[in-house]
Amino acid sequence: MPDLPTPTGKILPRNLTARADHVVRGNPSNTRPESGVDNCFPGLEFDQRNLDKAFFPGMLFDFHRYNGSRALEVTGGVAAAHGLTTADLTGDNQVFIGAVCGRTRVDQTDAQVEPVDCRERDGLDVWRQVHDLLPGPIAVLLLGRQTTVATLGAAAVGNLNALRMSGESFVRRAPDGRFQLAVLVSDRARYLDENGVIDPEVYQPGDLTRSLCAPWQYDFRDCGCFYWAASKPDVTSNADESIPQMNFLRADRTPVPDLDTDALDLGSPRRRLELGYPRLISDWQVLPVVLNDREDDSIGNPVPPDIPLLDRATVISRLKSLATVEHALSVEYLYAHYSLNAPRELPDSASRLMRRIHAAAFEVFEVAVDEMRHLRWVNEALGTLGEKPVVGRAAEIVRDTVHPFELRPLTPAQLQWFIDVEAPSQQVGTGLDGMYVQLHRSITKQPDVFPEADRLAHLIKLVIDEGEEHFRRFTAVKEHLAGLDPLVYLRPLRRPGAQDELGRTLLDLSDRYYAALLGTLQATFALGDQAGGLLIGQARVTMENLHEINHLLAARGIAPRFTLPPAFAPGAGELPPELANGQATREAAIAAIEALATIRELDGDLRDMANSQQFETAALLDVLDLQG
């Protein structure tokens, strides 16, 4: 069948992720260079100078210099076609940009273009001129360090635009073959290939960020600013200040090292006296602590704890258990959130008291959401290990003592339990964080046992990092509620019992959403990437609907039940086939639609919500049928 003509106004995908026919894991649009925040003082996301190093096809330049912009390498293009080689750029006769010429405004004609003399500019100023060049024909004048103005002849800066318009390129050499000058004309380089991504043949990993000062960048060694103390010290003194200035990254770690003084040029001997990247990775511990600008080795290096390594079967068993614990904690945190007397959305007219309670409720809810994310990550780890997903709920949570799962309001005692369970463990292997640390070490230290170590370690590290934040969040909750009577900030939630008809319908709907959510999570964890992200999206929608219904219940003084479907109960064993293939989730979703229809008939104030949720739940059924 012949291809149909492209409709007018059709938006065409410009990258591989967008071309996929289903949702895939990959870099989002905000990782593309055109969406980045480029800034050379010192840089936020990438340094534009590192992108513009290849502005002229077939050549690479360095703009990180105080004495102009030097040509570093010939990789092809018109330069190579005219006999220019990388060997011409090295040695005593270094080659620099003498001038550039090209359109810099969209309303500018070719005849109006004025060449820019770069001979007396520093590298940053030369880059500014290069950065302004628009796509299209450009000309660059290259001069050897020993080239004088008298030797320019027809290549004089004033003639550069005429040469650009004629497309004439040439290389001039001295009688001994030594490079003197060159005029090269070509279209300004494109940075993106046909798939809309940066050309990996030109830009190596780390190129765009190598000169940034930002402390979250590993490539701080190549920082060109030398002042960002949050990343690293640049100049320090020794402990007794007998040597007032030393390079912090020096490779010579003797008590009286060789000192370097040239800190202006990234290509200077200063760099050759510093620890390179391999040494920074293998010998980072030789860098001392710096206090008050003085190097102090008296603190010493921490001794890593002796952590027993777990075998593969034990790691899998621990992950399965932790998945149920993450589920249980999420539900306990959600119930505690609903027990706080705060609205779902804070009105502008809220009192100071309401704002304090709402701030506490917000923190608790955020931790509950994190725990659901942990449940996902643990199941991704299980899937990586070739195991089936686990979304059951633990009957008890073991910390220093055994804590039975129970839905309790956020009393001071319950809040303290939350703080204790999320507190950093003082012993590896105990507490939630200690268990994950032991798993992480067991995986990373046994690559022969865990060939999937890279992916597994990443997932577990995510859980560890967020767990540290949970302790701080619950501590903040305690501060928000400090001095308040629990009778003031807690709702008097009634246990499900003799409710009115609407209350019973809302409770039933809440349980059905909970069942549908667990079934959807089970299905999406089992399918993994095959689900194309559709099921996890529907799981989020179902979770939001459950949250909305539970807030309605809490506002009416009714405690959500979080009734666990029998198939997910502790000790239920292998999931029955009807749940594994999504049938139970379909039944829960159908029941939820029926309950929503009842709500729409009972209470006119809830009709809009019921209509919206009924539509979203029907969409869940469609996705389940599609996956089936």
Side-chain angles (χ1 to χ4, degrees):
M1 178 178 179
D3 291 336
L4 297 176
T6 302
T8 303
K10 172 72 173 177
I11 299 176
L12 298 176
R14 302 301 299 168
N15 58 64
L16 293 177
T17 302
R19 291 181 182 181
D21 59 359
H22 62 279
V23 179
V24 298
R25 292 177 182 169
N27 294 334
S29 59
N30 61 359
T31 64
R32 292 167 60 87
E34 57 265 39
S35 69
V37 181
D38 61 274
N39 176 351
C40 297
F41 299 95
L44 297 179
E45 294 184 347
F46 69 94
D47 188 334
Q48 186 79 41
R49 292 172 295 184
N50 298 328
L51 188 66
D52 280 324
K53 72 174 185 176
F55 80 98
F56 194 90
M59 294 200 69
L60 299 179
F61 296 89
D62 178 14
F63 298 105
H64 300 81
R65 305 176 64 89
Y66 70 98
N67 59 344
S69 177
R70 181 184 170 190
L72 298 178
E73 186 177 349
V74 176
T75 60
V78 66
H82 284 77
L84 195 62
T85 67
T86 301
D88 292 319
L89 314 178
T90 58
D92 295 335
N93 189 34
Q94 296 177 350
V95 176
F96 291 79
I97 294 179
V100 293
C101 183
R103 293 173 62 244
T104 58
R105 304 192 316 272
V106 294
D107 61 346
Q108 189 178 37
T109 66
D110 283 330
Q112 294 173 329
V113 172
E114 293 288 340
V116 178
D117 193 334
C118 299
R119 287 174 294 180
E120 301 299 326
R121 300 174 186 265
D122 63 20
L124 183 62
D125 202 7
V126 175
W127 166 75
R128 289 194 179 104
Q129 313 309 317
V130 166
H131 187 62
D132 287 342
L133 294 173
L134 295 178
I138 60 173
V140 58
L141 169 64
L142 301 181
L143 300 175
R145 183 185 290 275
Q146 301 175 14
T147 303
T148 63
V149 176
T151 63
L152 288 177
V157 174
N159 298 329
L160 195 56
N161 191 42
L163 295 170
R164 180 187 72 91
M165 294 175 64
S166 68
E168 182 180 354
S169 298
F170 58 85
V171 175
R172 183 179 300 166
R173 298 180 181 275
D176 61 1
R178 180 173 47 85
F179 173 87
Q180 284 188 319
L181 62 88
V183 172
L184 303 176
V185 180
S186 181
D187 281 352
R188 199 190 199 289
R190 293 181 57 190
Y191 301 128
L192 304 182
D193 64 16
E194 295 302 324
N195 293 320
V197 297
I198 291 178
D199 189 350
E201 298 298 325
V202 178
Y203 301 97
Q204 299 301 308
D207 265 3
L208 299 188
T209 59
R210 67 182 179 85
S211 53
L212 295 185
C213 297
W216 55 87
Q217 300 289 350
Y218 162 70
D219 294 336
F220 61 79
R221 180 183 179 273
D222 284 341
C223 168
C225 298
F226 300 103
Y227 73 83
W228 196 300
S231 175
K232 63 171 175 58
D234 290 309
V235 179
T236 60
S237 65
N238 62 348
D240 62 5
E241 296 187 297
S242 60
I243 304 177
Q245 292 187 338
M246 296 192 301
N247 185 342
F248 178 68
L249 291 181
R250 65 191 181 279
D252 182 0
R253 310 308 298 185
T254 58
V256 185
D258 290 335
L259 302 181
D260 56 275
T261 57
D262 184 3
L264 296 176
D265 187 350
L266 285 181
S268 73
R270 181 183 204 275
R271 288 304 189 200
R272 294 193 290 273
L273 294 174
E274 291 182 342
L275 294 171
Y277 286 120
R279 289 281 310 275
L280 284 175
I281 294 172
S282 62
D283 299 331
W284 60 269
Q285 68 274 11
V286 305
L287 296 175
V289 173
V290 176
L291 299 174
N292 298 322
D293 296 327
R294 293 184 299 177
E295 297 185 359
D296 188 351
D297 284 322
S298 61
I299 296 177
N301 295 316
V303 178
D306 183 17
I307 302 177
L309 301 182
L310 307 176
D311 59 28
R312 188 179 180 93
T314 305
V315 167
I316 291 173
S317 176
R318 293 278 180 89
L319 285 172
K320 289 181 177 180
S321 175
L322 286 168
T324 66
V325 170
E326 300 290 2
H327 180 179
L329 286 175
S330 179
V331 173
E332 284 200 356
Y333 296 161
L334 282 173
Y335 187 91
H337 165 79
Y338 300 131
S339 73
L340 290 171
N341 191 18
R344 186 181 176 197
E345 296 182 2
L346 191 68
D348 294 336
S349 59
S351 64
R352 185 172 181 273
L353 174 62
M354 182 181 291
R355 292 181 184 277
R356 289 179 62 183
I357 301 173
H358 186 273
F362 173 80
E363 297 286 2
V364 176
F365 180 71
E366 288 297 302
V367 178
V369 172
D370 284 351
E371 296 296 349
M372 291 301 292
R373 189 160 48 242
H374 294 181
L375 175 62
R376 176 184 178 181
W377 288 336
V378 172
N379 272 283
E380 285 192 28
L382 286 170
T384 302
L385 289 164
E387 297 294 318
K388 293 181 179 179
V390 174
V391 295
R393 194 173 73 195
E396 57 186 26
I397 301 166
V398 179
R399 176 73 181 189
D400 296 330
T401 59
V402 176
H403 170 83
F405 171 83
E406 186 176 356
L407 301 178
R408 298 178 182 176
L410 194 65
T411 61
Q414 185 71 352
L415 175 57
Q416 188 58 51
W417 155 248
F418 290 164
I419 293 174
D420 291 342
V421 78
E422 297 288 358
S425 176
Q426 300 302 310
Q427 185 176 357
V428 173
T430 64
L432 286 181
D433 62 327
M435 292 179 185
Y436 282 115
V437 168
Q438 187 174 22
L439 291 174
H440 186 273
R441 186 170 178 82
S442 298
I443 290 168
T444 57
K445 294 299 181 181
Q446 302 180 98
D448 54 330
V449 179
F450 298 96
E452 320 91 339
D454 286 347
R455 178 62 179 160
L456 290 173
H458 171 69
L459 290 168
I460 293 174
K461 187 63 166 59
L462 289 173
V463 179
I464 294 172
D465 290 344
E466 278 200 356
E468 296 174 357
E469 181 66 20
H470 292 178
F471 174 73
R472 289 190 287 269
R473 282 187 177 275
F474 278 127
T475 302
V477 171
K478 191 173 185 178
E479 294 173 356
H480 288 311
L481 301 178
L484 298 181
D485 189 328
L487 295 176
V488 173
Y489 64 76
L490 289 177
R491 286 187 173 114
L493 295 180
R494 305 187 305 277
R495 291 295 182 182
Q499 314 295 344
D500 58 22
E501 185 176 359
L502 178 57
R504 289 192 295 272
T505 304
L506 288 173
L507 278 170
D508 181 64
L509 179 59
S510 172
D511 284 343
R512 294 188 186 282
Y513 271 145
Y514 184 45
L517 172 62
L518 296 183
T520 306
L521 289 175
Q522 175 76 26
T524 192
F525 294 158
L527 290 171
D529 289 341
Q530 298 177 31
L534 295 177
L535 278 174
I536 195 65
Q538 288 299 321
R540 292 192 188 99
V541 173
T542 304
M543 194 181 306
E544 291 168 1
N545 290 343
L546 171 65
H547 184 52
E548 186 174 19
I549 295 300
N550 285 344
H551 257 286
L552 285 174
L553 285 168
R556 292 171 176 266
I558 304 172
R561 293 182 297 212
F562 287 100
T563 303
L564 194 64
F568 294 103
E574 192 78 14
L575 287 175
E578 64 271 14
L579 184 60
N581 65 17
Q583 182 58 37
T585 310
R586 290 182 178 88
E587 293 175 359
I590 292 171
I593 290 177
E594 294 172 353
L596 286 166
T598 303
I599 291 174
R600 191 171 60 248
E601 295 173 0
L602 287 174
D603 196 327
D605 294 339
L606 301 179
R607 285 177 183 173
D608 289 342
M609 180 211 72
N611 286 333
S612 174
Q613 291 196 7
Q614 193 168 20
F615 174 80
E616 291 164 347
T617 308
L620 170 61
L621 284 173
D622 291 340
V623 173
L624 289 170
D625 290 337
L626 179 64
Q627 299 297 329

